[in-house]
């Protein structure tokens, strides 16, 4: 991811484009595993990845799993005015999906908390710097009751 980010960041900096770095965390994922079992947890992650790839369709968008139930989304050349709206659209879409537990066919749904930073590519060439801000925003989203998006627009 770091290498891919460096390529994206370099390309976007040359074109003076913005990048959004997004951290997404499934809400109460441990509770899903504890209540429905690990197969349900796995199904949850599969569904999240599926909805993410269908919602963020551009070839340039980079999506990867980042730890247990967290995902990172890197959106180069993004429209700074529409990113937050698009993230909220994803959040609503995921919440409306009915997930079926493969073990016993019990259905449930999940929500997601999202922290994002949108900045000119010149903001930093280190992914860690971007992720730190996205993580702070993710923490704020959880503090605000989860199932929401906290987005920072940084002007350099």
């Amino acid at each position: 991811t770091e290498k891919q980010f460096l390529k994206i960041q370099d390309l976007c900096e040359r074109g003076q484009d913005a990048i959004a770095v997004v951290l997404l965390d499934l809400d109460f994922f441990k509770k899903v595993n504890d209540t429905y079992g690990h197969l349900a947890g796995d199904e949850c992650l599969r569904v999240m990845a599926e909805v993410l790839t269908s919602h963020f369709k551009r070839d340039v968008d980079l999506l990867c799993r980042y730890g247990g139930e967290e995902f990172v989304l890197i959106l180069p050349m993004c429209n700074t005015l529409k990113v937050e709206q698009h993230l909220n659209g994803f959040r609503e879409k995921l919440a409306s999906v009915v997930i079926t537990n493969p073990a016993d066919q019990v259905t449930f749904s999940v929500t997601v908390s999202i922290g994002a930073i949108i900045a000119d590519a010149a903001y930093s060439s280190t992914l860690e710097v971007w992720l730190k801000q996205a993580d702070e925003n993710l923490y704020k989203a959880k503090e605000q009751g989860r199932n929401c998006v906290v987005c920072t627009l940084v002007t350099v």
Side-chain angles (χ1 to χ4, degrees):
T1 309
E2 188 79 40
K3 276 183 187 163
Q4 288 168 296
F5 175 76
L6 283 172
K7 281 183 190 165
I8 288 168
Q9 190 272 336
D10 184 51
L11 187 72
C12 288
E13 193 168 5
R14 279 186 273 150
Q16 296 183 320
D17 286 310
I19 301 172
V21 173
V22 185
L23 270 177
L24 307 101
D25 191 19
L26 279 166
D27 295 328
F28 305 112
F29 185 67
K30 186 182 177 329
K31 193 176 169 193
V32 169
N33 276 328
D34 292 348
T35 307
Y36 304 105
H38 290 283
L39 279 178
D42 290 349
E43 184 65 8
C44 236
L45 294 171
R46 193 192 65 69
V47 166
M48 171 115 162
E50 196 176 274
V51 178
L52 271 169
T53 51
S54 73
H55 196 75
F56 296 92
K57 294 182 181 131
R58 301 179 314 160
D59 289 342
V60 293
D61 296 342
L62 183 61
L63 163 69
C64 58
R65 193 161 163 203
Y66 185 72
E69 68 280 3
E70 281 190 337
F71 289 79
V72 173
L73 202 51
I74 298 170
L75 308 171
M77 298 169 276
C78 62
N79 180 332
T80 54
L81 303 174
K82 295 210 170 135
V83 171
E84 191 169 359
Q85 182 185 341
H86 199 56
L87 289 169
N88 268 308
F90 164 75
R91 183 185 56 75
E92 290 163 10
K93 189 188 281 185
L94 182 68
S96 71
V97 173
V98 175
I99 300 168
T100 303
N101 184 352
D104 57 12
Q105 304 306 299
V106 170
T107 58
F108 61 97
S109 59
V110 291
T111 58
V112 67
S113 296
I114 301 173
I117 173 175
I118 307 161
D120 188 271
Y123 172 69
S124 178
S125 59
T126 309
L127 180 56
E128 203 175 298
V129 173
W130 293 77
L131 286 172
K132 187 177 184 296
Q133 183 61 58
D135 193 47
E136 282 175 26
N137 288 343
L138 175 60
Y139 184 77
K140 286 177 189 165
K142 289 180 178 195
E143 273 190 328
Q144 289 173 22
R146 293 179 161 81
N147 191 21
C148 66
V149 175
V150 175
C151 211
T152 302
L153 180 57
V154 179
T155 49
V156 181

